[in-house]
């Protein structure tokens, strides 16, 4: 039985980070909507697994009328509670304190004095002032503030703009901070959250992927029994790890359907078949549907229409193949925890978390039960699980690849000629990123890293325009590709990667020399926002 931390989501953009930080220190955490209900809170983890509750931040104002509140049962469960930002404000208001709109708002970097007499912050600081006060470097994002603490609370942190930046009721083990310990900008944030879950809540560090393998395998066996499972294998990280895990559990009762729509990366079909069918012994049906997909995409230029066509045709192919498998009773998907959280967030009135169907809108007449073995895991945990299952590092740590494949990296109409050119250019770019080490001023003090590992996502984009060039003594009039490489933690925002000029030069020279039909290479230096990571 794992120790559990329950996180109530009040709509913050960084609520997922709270769960991730808690899991990073070896404790299982689960995010639920703030309005999950009194009875659910009273029943959750009644086997003794619930050890603490965290109230997230959110965009609302406690000072307004009908804004979110925590179920009162949160404060009656007898477990420690930590309020963060809005979570601190609603805790204060609900327990008899006072919240008001601040005259001075704080957004971004701030420094607060840590009142170290409380169990949460004792001995934690980033620097000490000349007066001997321990200070924390934190990230703030608030307009309202607690003006008066509830009865039983004492001051835990403060600064000039926010005199009550933290408060604590040590007797009930209720703690609250106005800053965000879950973001990396709060230097000691991970230490603070670790202290809360380990020392204050008494959680064990019993959440890790190597140990989770057998637990997940047994769960799949219990759920599926003797029935068969089919899975749409894309070659991406999530579906690949799901396939490896389910195969570990039920062996040849799993059948994977790998649909090649003609928009995959170079040699991807061969790589997927070699990995799963040959090396891992997984039963994989390889369907080459290139002509079907490209035929329906002919003449289509609108990005959304292309996505719909690709999704629709995938369903058609998958449904046709599924109908041939008589013993299949389950449909497996690589749904991961962020999908689950986002699905719940879209239904503000829902008290239960809905499953996220990510295969592309499969029809209900498939009559298959849903199996989602990764639905409790974040992407980094999925990667760790993949390694624990024996998948190679280069597969597990591949950059994300969109479901429509190269269809959203070929601007305008999709043609087989364009896809072939783009595949070659993209492969050269990725190869050079993998073969180029990042300059490291610390030398051997840290392990070497390639530029592929240092970027979160990198790819080439085909531009349906031609430009004049010169090769030898002749004039060329060929196509253009754009290179895109970004660095990000959450893919909600991203910075363009500052790749070395000599690396970009090598990539450009190789593409122009080796890919006949391309004579110009450009580099995208747009951030997100205002741009998106993908071009379509």
């Amino acid at each position: 039985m794992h120790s559990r931390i329950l996180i109530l989501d009040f709509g913050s953009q960084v609520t997922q980070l709270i769960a991730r930080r808690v899991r990073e220190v070896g404790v299982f955490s689960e995010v639920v909507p703030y309005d999950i209900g009194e009875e659910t809170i009273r029943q959750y983890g009644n086997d003794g697994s619930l050890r603490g509750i965290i109230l997230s931040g959110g965009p609302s104002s406690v000072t307004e009328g009908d804004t979110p509140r925590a179920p009162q049962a949160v404060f009656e469960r007898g477990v420690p509670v930590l309020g963060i930002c809005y979570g601190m404000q609603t805790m204060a208001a609900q327990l008899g304190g006072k919240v008001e709109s601040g005259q001075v708002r704080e957004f971004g970097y701030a420094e607060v004095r840590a009142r170290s007499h409380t169990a949460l912050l004792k001995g934690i600081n980033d620097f000490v002032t000349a007066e001997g006060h321990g200070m924390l470097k934190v990230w703030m994002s608030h307009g309202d503030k607690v003006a008066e603490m509830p009865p039983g609370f004492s001051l835990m942190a403060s600064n000039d703009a926010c005199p009550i930046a933290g408060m604590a009721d040590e007797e009930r083990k209720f703690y609250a901070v106005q800053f965000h310990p879950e973001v990396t900008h709060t230097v000691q944030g991970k230490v603070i959250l670790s202290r809360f879950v380990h020392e204050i809540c008494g959680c064990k560090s019993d959440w890790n992927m190597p140990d989770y393998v057998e637990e997940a395998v047994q769960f799949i066996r219990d759920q599926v029994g003797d029935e068969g499972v089919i899975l749409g294998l894309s070659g991406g990280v999530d579906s690949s790890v799901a396939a490896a895990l389910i195969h570990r559990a039920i062996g040849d009762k799993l059948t994977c359907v790998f649909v090649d729509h003609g928009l995959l990366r170079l040699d991807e079909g061969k790589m997927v078949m070699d990995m799963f069918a040959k090396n891992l012994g997984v039963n994989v049906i390889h369907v080459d549907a290139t002509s079907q997909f490209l035929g329906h995409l002919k003449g289509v230029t609108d990005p959304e229409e292309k996505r719909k066509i690709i999704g629709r045709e995938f369903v058609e192919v998958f449904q046709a193949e599924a109908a041939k498998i008589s013993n299949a009773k389950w449909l497996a998907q690589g749904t991961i925890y962020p999908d689950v959280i986002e699905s719940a967030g879209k239904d503000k009135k829902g008290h239960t978390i809905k499953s996220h169907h990510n295969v592309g809108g499969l029809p209900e007449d498939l009559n298959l039960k849903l199996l989602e073995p990764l639905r409790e895991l974040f992407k980094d945990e999925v990667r760790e699980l993949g390694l624990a299952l024996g998948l190679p590092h280069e597969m597990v740590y591949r950059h994300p690849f969109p479901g429509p494949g190269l269809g959203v990296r070929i601007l305008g109409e999709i043609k087989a000629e364009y896809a072939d050119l783009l595949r070659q250019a993209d492969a050269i770019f990725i190869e050079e990123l993998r073969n180029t080490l990042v300059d490291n001023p610390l030398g051997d003090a840290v392990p070497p890293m390639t530029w592929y590992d240092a970027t979160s996502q990198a790819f080439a984009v085909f531009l349906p325009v031609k430009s004049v060039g010169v090769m030898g003594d002749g004039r060329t009039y060929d196509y253009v590709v754009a290179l895109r490489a970004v660095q990000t933690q959450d893919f909600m925002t991203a910075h363009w990667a500052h790749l070395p000029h000599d690396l970009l030069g090598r990539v450009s020279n190789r593409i122009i020399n080796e890919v006949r039909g391309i004579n110009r290479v450009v580099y995208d230096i747009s951030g997100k926002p205002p741009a998106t990571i993908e071009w379509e």
Side-chain angles (χ1 to χ4, degrees), residues 348-488:
K348 295 301 182 183
K349 296 183 182 300
H351 290 181
T352 58
I353 296 178
K354 302 179 297 182
S355 61
H356 182 92
H357 293 235
N358 61 358
V359 174
L362 289 170
E364 293 183 3
D365 60 10
L366 274 176
N367 295 318
L368 297 172
K369 295 173 282 188
L370 194 59
L371 177 65
E372 296 174 314
L374 309 180
R375 73 187 317 272
E376 291 188 333
L377 306 183
F378 286 104
K379 177 71 81 172
D380 52 338
E381 294 172 322
V382 172
R383 295 188 195 279
E384 292 175 25
L385 180 61
L387 294 178
L389 289 165
L391 293 178
H393 184 278
E394 57 269 24
M395 169 176 273
V396 171
Y397 281 90
R398 297 178 82 197
H399 287 180
F401 189 59
L406 300 182
V408 292
R409 294 178 180 174
I410 298 171
L411 303 195
E413 183 182 4
I414 298 171
K415 297 181 179 180
E417 171 198 0
Y418 298 167
D420 289 338
L421 292 174
L422 180 56
R423 257 188 286 273
Q424 297 174 66
D426 185 77
I428 290 170
F429 185 28
I430 298 304
E431 181 181 334
E432 290 295 336
L433 289 172
R434 288 188 183 277
N435 291 338
T436 306
L437 292 176
V438 177
D439 287 338
N440 177 21
L442 297 178
D444 295 335
V446 296
M449 175 184 291
T450 69
W451 271 106
Y452 184 85
D453 296 321
T455 53
S456 307
Q457 194 167 358
F459 52 90
V461 179
F462 182 86
L463 308 184
V465 295
K466 288 188 172 183
S467 69
V468 174
V470 177
M471 290 187 180
D473 295 324
R475 175 185 185 273
T476 62
Y477 189 55
D478 288 327
Y479 290 107
V480 182
V481 293
L483 307 179
R484 179 76 157 143
V486 299
Q487 294 171 314
T488 178

Side-chain angles (χ1 to χ4, degrees), residues 132-164:
H133 299 151
M135 302 294 291
L136 292 171
K137 298 177 180 179
V138 303
W139 190 72
M140 292 276 201
S141 181
H142 70 102
D144 294 350
K145 63 182 181 181
V146 175
E148 183 179 314
M149 291 181 289
F153 280 78
S154 60
L155 187 63
M156 185 169 65
S158 63
N159 67 10
D160 291 341
C162 187
I164 305 176

